[in-house]
Amino acid sequence: EYYLRGVVPSEMPSSWLPAALRAQAVAARSYAVATRHPTSLFDAYADTRSQVYGPMEHEASASNAAVAATAHKVLMYNGAVAVGFFSSSSGGRTASEQAAWGSGGEPYLVPVRDRYDGAGGLNPNHTWPTRVLTPRDLARALGVKGKVRSVDLTIDGPSQRVTHATFHRDAGNRSYSGP
């Protein structure tokens, strides 16, 4: 519970609505419990590889209240603590487990439309500006010589995310994973 007092205000502004802070507290607690590594030197990274943790100076009364109001509450699925994945932005649709990690298996981790992601225009990561690139500019952006002649994309149907891209060039193909 003390750990969460440093996570919740580091993962979302403590000025957000109390219900959002409580939801974050439950998701963060669930993630922490479900991903514990009791035989390792540590359980989680203090950054975006796990969940962002800030020291006592980051604590706020509103987020501490949310942690206290949800004390010991976790997400459950089939009798086990469910991994409470969360992100700062989904682009309007959450990713499938396959698109995010290249594997699947948890039936509760399915992509859904995220109608709140835009945050009324306040989320700077919701919509990215379109950039038009020439074939040569695209090659330069990828750090390769020449021009890109064509692109093949593999798209995860459920989440509509690119999982693989192959760029065809005169000098040979270059492939990248979606992430």
Side-chain angles (χ1 to χ4, degrees), residues 77-78 96-99 101-110:
Y77 182 80
N78 278 349
S96 70
E97 196 176 2
Q98 177 68 36
W101 296 284
S103 63
E106 297 298 344
Y108 59 86
L109 293 177
V110 296

Side-chain angles (χ1 to χ4, degrees), residues 24 26-28 30-32 34-35 51 75 81-86 108-109:
Q24 179 65 47
V26 172
S30 300
Y31 180 87
T35 60
Q51 42 190 9
L75 301 168
V81 177
V83 181
F85 291 113
F86 50 89
Y108 59 86
L109 293 177

Side-chain angles (χ1 to χ4, degrees), residues 2-3 5-7 9-10 46 51-59:
Y2 288 112
Y3 166 73
R5 291 167 57 170
V7 171
S10 298
Q51 42 190 9
V52 179
Y53 172 81
M56 271 173 89
E57 296 79 27
H58 290 213
E59 290 184 21

Side-chain angles (χ1 to χ4, degrees), residues 33-58:
V33 171
T35 60
R36 285 184 56 226
H37 303 288
T39 59
S40 296
L41 294 175
F42 62 93
D43 291 319
Y45 292 97
D47 57 31
T48 57
R49 289 174 289 179
S50 296
Q51 42 190 9
V52 179
Y53 172 81
M56 271 173 89
E57 296 79 27
H58 290 213

